[in-house]
Amino acid sequence: MNVTLWQVVLILISFFGAVFTGAKLLLSQMDRRLDDRFNSLKEAAKAGDDAIHETLKQHINEESKNSGQLIELERQLLKWEARLPIDYVRREDFIRNQTVIESKLDGLALRLENTQNKGGGHA
Amino acid sequence: MHNDAKLRREFLRWIILLTLNNARPSGCYEELVLMTAQGYYQDATALELRRELDYLFDRKLAELRKEPSGRWFCDLTRYGVDVVEYTVDCDPGIARPVNYCHG
């Protein structure tokens, strides 16, 4: 069987053409799959980012609400502290003042008693 | 002079009882009792006060808690309350005046 040079060349060309076409198909499929995968990864990352942003936004809102409440609480506490000396007497002060008054009255009573005793029947 | 000292001692005991009565139900530290006593006797001393507190403790009229830090915490016993409120008779040694207000 004689094969001419032209035939050999044609066979080689068709062989390499088939290999090239097959490789191209394979590579394009791989490329598409890789693209799909990257896209899905990108979407997942975006969804994660969105969720984190949402959570952060919620936290910031809560924080600002909390700090507002805290300032209000502090203001109320300061008001309460300012009213404290107007509305209340310290327990120690009350005990001291009350007892001093009572003891002075009792001292006076004792003195009267003594004077009456000394005066005998004249008192 | 002797009578003055005796009267002072005994009236100081009465002042202590009055203070502890006003400090009920929680009792108070001796500093407050001293400050109160000094409202009547300006020259009352801490030692004088402790002597009288100890006397009242011995007569079971007051309870004393001598804290490790050195402060004394005092409170009235039920018998002490009765004496201050004129419920029971008071033995000599305390200058309790006659009950003039019947309150």
Side-chain angles (χ1 to χ4, degrees), chain A residues 91-100 102-111 113-114, chain B residues 7 11 14-15 18-19 22-24 26-28 32 35-36 39-40 95-98 100:
Chain A
R91 183 171 170 271
E92 275 87 0
D93 290 338
F94 166 76
I95 293 173
R96 198 178 61 235
N97 290 347
Q98 180 71 17
T99 313
V100 167
E102 284 177 11
S103 62
K104 282 184 177 169
L105 278 174
D106 285 354
L108 210 58
L110 272 181
R111 206 167 284 182
E113 218 176 296
N114 284 341
Chain B
L7 186 67
F11 196 61
W14 179 240
I15 292 175
L18 285 178
T19 312
N22 280 318
R24 279 196 300 142
S26 56
C28 65
L32 178 61
M35 276 197 292
T36 311
Y40 195 87
R96 185 178 77 165
V98 289
Y100 51 86

Side-chain angles (χ1 to χ4, degrees), chain A residues 18-32:
Chain A
V19 167
F20 178 74
T21 313
K24 199 177 176 192
L25 269 173
L26 200 69
L27 282 174
S28 69
Q29 273 183 359
M30 276 175 71
D31 212 21
R32 206 182 318 130

Side-chain angles (χ1 to χ4, degrees), chain A residues 40-123:
Chain A
S40 66
L41 276 176
K42 215 181 278 176
E43 275 169 20
K46 196 173 178 301
D49 277 355
D50 286 350
I52 286 174
H53 277 132
E54 191 59 35
T55 315
L56 272 176
K57 211 181 281 175
Q58 276 178 3
H59 277 296
I60 289 168
N61 285 341
E62 272 177 30
E63 185 64 33
S64 66
K65 208 192 290 174
N66 283 349
S67 67
Q69 283 174 340
L70 200 66
I71 289 169
E72 184 58 31
L73 190 70
E74 196 179 5
R75 195 171 295 147
Q76 281 177 3
L77 189 73
L78 286 174
K79 273 186 194 164
W80 184 72
E81 275 184 356
R83 280 206 68 79
L84 207 62
I86 299 168
D87 291 342
Y88 297 98
V89 169
R90 202 175 154 76
R91 183 171 170 271
E92 275 87 0
D93 290 338
F94 166 76
I95 293 173
R96 198 178 61 235
N97 290 347
Q98 180 71 17
T99 313
V100 167
I101 291 167
E102 284 177 11
S103 62
K104 282 184 177 169
L105 278 174
D106 285 354
L108 210 58
L110 272 181
R111 206 167 284 182
L112 271 174
E113 218 176 296
N114 284 341
T115 316
Q116 279 174 344
N117 287 343
K118 274 180 196 162
H122 302 295

